[in-house]
Amino acid sequence: MAAAGVVSGKIIYEQEGVYIHSSCGKTNDQDSLISGILRVLEKDAEVIVDWRPLDDALDSSSILYARKDSSSVVEWTQAPKERGHRGSEHLNSYEAEWDMVNTVSFKRKPHTNGDAPSHRNGKSKWSFLFSLTDLKSIKQNKEGMGWSYLVFCLKDDVVLPALHFHQGDSKLLIESLEKYVVLCESPQDKRTLLVNCQNKSLSQSFENLLDEPAYGLIQKIKKDPYTATMIGFSKVTNYIFDSLRGSDPSTHQRPPSEMADFLSDAISGLKINQQEEPGFEVITRIDLGERPVVQRKEPVSLEEWTKNIDSEGRILNVDSMKQMIFRGGLSHALRKQAWKFLLGYFPWDSTKEERTQLQKQKTDEYFRMKLQWKSVSQEQEKRNSRLRDYRSLIEKDVNRTDRTNKFYEGQDNPGLILLHDILMTYCMYDFDLGYVQGMSDLLSPLLYVMENEVDAFWCFASYMDQMHQNFEEQMQGMKTQLIQLSTLLRLLDSGFCSYLESQDSGYLYFCFRWLLIRFKREFSFLDILRLWEVMWTELPCKNFHLLLCCAILESEKQQIMEKHYGFNEILKHINELSMKIDVEDILCKAEAISLQMVKCKELPQTVCEILGLQDSEVPTPDSDVGEDENVVMTPHPTSAFQSNALPTHSASGARDDSPTQIPVSSDVCRLTPA
């Protein structure tokens, strides 16, 4: 606890009329009420709780006294100046405490700088402040016992004076603190909230994955995946699992090998290990066969694109064009045209004239929506909390989105203004979803390429149609993808999955950021343009982005396992891969994995469904041109993923390391390349 000097910083919470009841200086049956201001401030990445008295700034005639009778029921007694104005029957009433506080008018002495006043004559002895990281617990008052009060206990067992909230209650303070720490009810005393300090940013990525509170830790689900996953992973420490384990002594004693089971119980809806279903047969080994070596081609040029357009502007042989884009991407000069087709803004079979008419229609529609929020007056916005919240989030995010890119750098950049306006207009387009942090990352490359507000908006709206579930409050899309990724990874390398589970990482939280905004923060800006356009072809299979995750993990498996990385080290290592991944190498590896799976004749039905391979022979990007010289079918000599026995979990939740039993349909899909 620090001495209570004047503290500056961003004020998160401020409440006047917060009293300390001091027993000194008064008669035996009275407490002196020392009025003060309670603040919660952010300063230099630290959260400070600060209380300081107003005794030097108040007219002493307005001081109140509290007297307790033998039954500890609080009643009010006014200072002598006010005492004669009300009868004793009112003082003993239930409402007296609120009524009496409202009759007091505090007279402040003027201050020159707006900070808390300096304290003289020894009166500042009651002031205190402390860092939230030093807080151990908070004890609350019993219900029905007069005004609300809190007692802070610090980790060094220092107990601070009780703070009594005469004007309002302590709920807003608790809500403010819960933005930075997890508060859980003590099993021994329901009035005591135990504190598990953790970084606010990182905590929210986990909170968004939970449907229900686990061990009473999560008070509410916050809709802030951006902050959670963009910033927090680089600051991982042991507080993550301290928070997940909470105050339950049994969870502290559980060995690491059982932590995956604890998470399985705690996280509703995230059940990665599926039970067998009727009609499925069990096999003990799946041979995925040889892993081909894949090479990339050159980007599609403007000349090649033009050759595939007829006289009316229609794209000829769309499948062949998509295969070319998948193989090599697009030259930058072509992106402004081609992305509109890849994202579905322009129909592939449309003529040039039809596209011109469509753009006119969409331009009119866009500016009508933009006018909706532009025409909202300040007075109207004061009564529209959702619009205010959307605007606040957008303004905050725009100011930190790709600011090192020349297109967005500097103050008053027109690119930033367009980002802001497009995102605000999207709130009118989809008001139910509105704006969620992270969406600016998806828009930024689109605006950079389109260099046009209207085209960028409609491309963004189309992209959001694909990504919508990632940003919904329940985040069902994120949970589904993590489950599917685990299924694929277990098929490719059960040993690596088992290692991750032993390090409490079986739920693949470290992939959260990859999936949330499609690798936007993992690759350089220009590389993400290449990666996205390849994924937008929807080749060579459904959910190709999950195979990209597998390819990245394959590249990092050796280091993770050989260096015996634990939970924190895995998160830190994955976070530090940002901007260090070779996009062409990962695309080659992911495609090779897809070809390996397509050729497997006993692929589990679940995997077939994830990759969209069921019910038909699936064409590869080369299926209509014969054996491509860039794909060489050779054994993959040192593949990091080897498909052997796959450990499953028993019905009780315990992991079974016996030879693998994978549910495979008796009507299993047997696929060969076309």
Side-chain angles (χ1 to χ4, degrees):
M1 184 176 69
V6 175
V7 179
S8 61
K10 180 182 177 183
I11 297 178
I12 306 302
Y13 167 90
E14 184 176 50
Q15 178 66 52
E16 295 184 14
V18 180
Y19 287 74
I20 288 178
H21 293 193
S22 168
S23 60
C24 62
K26 301 297 171 188
T27 61
N28 292 336
D29 64 344
Q30 289 183 333
D31 285 347
S32 172
L33 301 191
I34 303 173
S35 177
I37 295 180
L38 180 63
R39 293 188 179 99
V40 178
L41 308 102
E42 277 188 359
K43 179 178 174 60
D44 300 329
E46 189 175 16
V47 180
I48 302 294
V49 178
D50 176 34
W51 185 89
R52 59 189 63 250
L54 285 174
D55 53 2
D56 193 46
L58 299 179
D59 184 340
S60 60
S61 65
S62 65
I63 295 294
L64 299 176
Y65 303 100
R67 178 172 60 211
K68 299 178 182 178
D69 63 14
S70 58
S71 62
S72 297
V73 176
V74 174
E75 62 181 48
W76 281 94
T77 303
Q78 286 179 284
K81 183 177 179 180
E82 299 285 341
R83 187 169 291 161
H85 291 222
R86 294 186 179 243
S88 60
E89 70 281 356
H90 183 80
L91 291 175
N92 293 324
S93 71
Y94 180 80
E95 295 84 2
E97 59 179 275
W98 295 104
D99 197 12
M100 292 296 291
V101 170
N102 291 335
T103 66
V104 176
S105 58
F106 295 127
K107 300 176 183 178
R108 291 180 177 275
K109 293 184 178 179
H111 307 295
T112 56
N113 57 8
D115 285 322
S118 60
H119 300 281
R120 298 180 295 275
N121 303 325
K123 293 182 180 179
S124 63
K125 68 177 182 177
W126 294 107
S127 301
F128 64 80
L129 64 85
F130 60 87
S131 170
L132 204 54
T133 58
D134 295 328
L135 184 59
K136 179 181 178 181
S137 65
I138 305 172
K139 188 165 185 176
Q140 305 174 96
N141 60 294
K142 290 182 180 179
E143 291 186 9
M145 293 300 294
W147 55 74
S148 171
Y149 72 81
L150 296 177
V151 178
F152 294 113
C153 179
L154 306 184
K155 290 180 178 177
D156 54 5
D157 292 327
V158 171
V159 179
L160 299 175
L163 297 179
H164 297 255
F165 292 76
H166 290 188
Q167 299 182 30
D169 57 30
S170 58
K171 289 181 180 179
L172 287 177
L173 173 63
I174 295 297
E175 290 177 3
S176 298
L177 297 181
E178 284 178 334
K179 296 177 182 178
Y180 303 95
V181 296
V182 175
L183 300 176
C184 26
E185 197 175 86
S186 169
Q188 287 76 33
D189 183 0
K190 292 183 178 180
R191 294 167 55 197
T192 300
L193 298 176
L194 301 178
V195 179
N196 287 295
C197 274
Q198 68 180 136
N199 178 280
K200 169 193 174 185
S201 301
L202 186 57
S203 72
Q204 291 169 348
S205 66
F206 293 94
E207 291 181 39
N208 278 307
L209 286 173
L210 305 182
D211 286 332
E212 301 292 341
Y215 290 89
L217 300 182
I218 308 304
Q219 305 301 318
K220 60 182 179 178
I221 295 178
K222 301 180 182 67
K223 198 174 182 182
D224 190 5
Y226 175 91
T227 305
T229 57
M230 300 313 112
I231 301 171
F233 281 174
S234 61
K235 301 177 181 178
V236 177
T237 56
N238 286 321
Y239 54 64
I240 300 167
F241 266 78
D242 289 342
S243 300
L244 286 174
R245 292 183 176 99
S247 59
D248 184 352
S250 65
T251 61
H252 285 286
Q253 297 168 2
R254 298 179 75 164
S257 61
E258 296 181 20
M259 206 54 207
D261 300 334
F262 168 74
L263 285 172
S264 178
D265 295 336
I267 302 176
S268 173
L270 193 55
K271 298 177 181 178
I272 287 179
N273 297 286
Q274 306 297 321
Q275 300 298 318
E276 296 179 22
E277 299 179 21
F280 276 55
E281 64 180 0
V282 175
I283 60 175
T284 57
R285 180 184 176 88
I286 292 180
D287 183 4
L288 291 178
E290 298 176 351
R291 173 81 61 84
V293 177
V294 175
Q295 295 178 347
R296 302 279 298 160
K297 289 186 176 180
E298 292 297 315
V300 178
S301 66
L302 186 59
E303 181 181 2
E304 290 174 305
W305 176 268
T306 305
K307 287 180 180 178
N308 277 274
I309 299 178
D310 68 13
S311 58
E312 293 185 330
R314 294 186 184 87
I315 307 298
L316 303 173
N317 200 345
V318 174
D319 289 341
S320 176
M321 179 57 67
K322 285 184 178 180
Q323 290 167 12
M324 292 168 63
I325 296 171
F326 174 79
R327 277 267 171 247
L330 295 160
S331 60
H332 189 69
L334 183 54
R335 284 180 171 135
K336 189 179 295 187
Q337 293 184 57
W339 279 23
K340 296 168 188 173
F341 292 93
L342 289 169
L343 285 165
Y345 175 31
F346 286 170
W348 284 97
D349 59 353
S350 61
T351 64
K352 183 177 181 180
E353 178 62 27
E354 289 170 341
R355 294 193 292 272
T356 300
Q357 292 301 317
L358 178 64
Q359 280 185 302
K360 289 181 180 178
Q361 173 192 335
K362 291 296 186 181
T363 298
D364 179 66
E365 188 176 349
Y366 173 78
F367 283 107
R368 278 191 284 110
M369 289 188 292
K370 183 174 181 178
L371 184 61
Q372 290 174 358
W373 66 266
K374 279 281 192 179
S375 60
V376 174
S377 68
Q378 289 185 350
E379 287 300 314
Q380 285 177 299
E381 191 165 319
K382 287 179 181 178
R383 296 184 291 274
N384 191 330
S385 60
R386 290 185 67 185
L387 186 60
R388 286 200 313 272
D389 290 344
Y390 290 154
R391 187 191 295 274
S392 175
L393 283 174
I394 289 169
E395 289 174 353
K396 183 169 70 171
D397 275 9
V398 162
N399 286 324
R400 64 185 183 186
T401 299
D402 292 322
R403 297 306 301 276
T404 58
N405 187 304
K406 289 185 178 180
F407 193 80
Y408 298 110
E409 70 181 2
Q411 297 298 319
D412 300 320
N413 187 300
L416 298 179
I417 297 172
L418 290 178
L419 270 180
H420 172 274
D421 288 1
I422 292 171
L423 292 170
M424 284 296 297
T425 305
Y426 186 80
C427 292
M428 301 295 105
Y429 176 78
D430 188 348
F431 203 82
D432 286 341
L433 180 63
Y435 180 77
V436 182
Q437 290 180 304
M439 287 163 54
S440 62
D441 269 284
L442 299 183
L443 172 60
S444 171
L446 299 173
L447 180 58
Y448 171 84
V449 167
M450 295 299 152
E451 298 179 306
N452 177 282
E453 182 178 2
V454 175
D455 290 343
F457 172 84
W458 290 110
C459 287
F460 174 67
S462 296
Y463 198 14
M464 281 302 302
D465 288 343
Q466 302 175 30
M467 304 291 289
H468 201 280
Q469 279 196 322
N470 282 16
F471 295 95
E472 292 171 0
E473 187 169 0
Q474 299 303 317
M475 300 198 78
Q476 186 56 49
M478 291 300 301
K479 288 187 280 191
T480 298
Q481 289 173 84
L482 287 170
I483 291 169
Q484 292 174 335
L485 177 57
S486 177
T487 300
L488 295 174
L489 191 60
R490 183 169 296 280
L491 174 67
L492 290 166
D493 194 327
S494 61
F496 188 34
C497 275
S498 297
Y499 177 81
L500 293 175
E501 287 176 357
S502 73
Q503 303 304 319
D504 303 327
S505 300
Y507 285 86
L508 308 179
Y509 285 125
F510 46 81
C511 298
F512 189 92
R513 185 173 71 184
W514 301 356
L515 300 173
L516 181 70
I517 52 172
R518 287 295 191 271
F519 307 99
K520 170 62 166 53
R521 291 297 179 95
E522 316 316 315
F523 295 90
S524 69
F525 194 87
L526 294 180
D527 282 351
I528 209 65
L529 307 184
R530 174 60 41 79
L531 186 68
W532 282 4
E533 64 200 14
V534 169
M535 290 193 294
W536 291 337
T537 65
E538 299 180 339
L539 294 173
C541 60
K542 183 180 172 183
N543 286 318
F544 181 62
H545 68 287
L546 298 181
L547 298 184
L548 289 167
C549 294
C550 291
I552 297 173
L553 293 175
E554 177 186 57
S555 300
E556 304 305 317
K557 170 195 169 182
Q558 183 176 359
Q559 182 170 345
I560 289 172
M561 294 186 71
E562 287 185 354
K563 294 188 177 181
H564 306 290
Y565 283 167
F567 180 85
N568 294 344
E569 291 83 4
I570 292 171
L571 279 177
K572 184 174 184 292
H573 177 72
I574 294 299
N575 182 74
E576 291 176 349
L577 292 177
S578 179
M579 304 300 159
K580 299 176 184 177
I581 307 172
D582 186 319
V583 68
E584 297 293 341
D585 179 60
I586 291 303
L587 282 169
C588 287
K589 288 180 178 178
E591 183 185 356
I593 293 171
S594 73
L595 292 173
Q596 184 183 27
M597 288 191 173
V598 165
K599 289 181 177 294
C600 176
K601 297 182 178 181
E602 295 182 337
L603 206 61
Q605 182 65 24
T606 304
V607 176
C608 289
E609 292 171 357
I610 293 171
L611 300 180
L613 305 180
Q614 70 273 31
D615 300 329
S616 65
E617 293 185 343
V618 180
T620 69
D622 305 299
S623 59
D624 65 338
V625 292
E627 189 72 18
D628 195 294
E629 66 275 10
N630 292 300
V631 181
V632 182
M633 295 303 300
T634 60
H636 207 284
T638 58
S639 172
F641 285 161
Q642 298 297 331
S643 176
N644 295 314
L646 306 185
T648 60
H649 283 61
S650 66
S652 65
R655 192 166 64 85
D656 181 8
D657 289 316
S658 58
T660 292
Q661 298 184 339
I662 301 184
V664 179
S665 172
S666 56
D667 190 22
V668 69
C669 49
R670 300 179 181 274
L671 303 172
T672 57

